[in-house]
Amino acid sequence: MKKKILFISETVTMAHLIRPLKVASSLSLDDYEIHFAATKVPDFLRNEFAKYTLHEINNSVSEKQFLDAIAQG
């Protein structure tokens, strides 16, 4: 039985999505069942996620709220 791995991403910046995608791409699909839970996946990245199970998260902070919070420290 394959081990399951779940990556969770608040996709407020591309880095939050791309970093776990790079880690996932280094894992063998023969050994692992890989899932992603993300607030959004841009259309231009959909093909990159096609080999994984994608779970879309519908409630999240907006990119603006995230960046405003960072700006305020």
Side-chain angles (χ1 to χ4, degrees):
M1 186 165 139
K2 292 182 185 182
K3 290 185 179 182
K4 293 181 183 180
I5 298 176
L6 172 63
F7 293 94
I8 302 170
S9 175
E10 286 269 356
T11 317
V12 291
T13 68
M14 283 296 101
H16 288 101
L17 191 60
I18 299 297
R19 285 186 190 119
L21 179 62
K22 289 301 275 181
V23 172
S25 68
S26 72
L27 300 171
S28 168
L29 292 176
D30 292 331
D31 297 324
Y32 300 99
E33 182 181 323
I34 300 172
H35 294 250
F36 277 87
T39 53
K40 65 180 176 180
V41 175
D43 289 339
F44 73 91
L45 286 176
R46 288 281 172 177
N47 286 341
E48 297 292 325
F49 285 88
K51 58 187 163 190
Y52 309 120
T53 303
L54 182 61
H55 309 273
E56 293 195 40
I57 300 170
N58 294 320
N59 56 344
S60 173
V61 298
S62 70
E63 182 177 344
K64 181 181 179 340
Q65 289 170 310
F66 176 79
L67 295 176
D68 286 349
I70 288 177
Q72 293 182 18

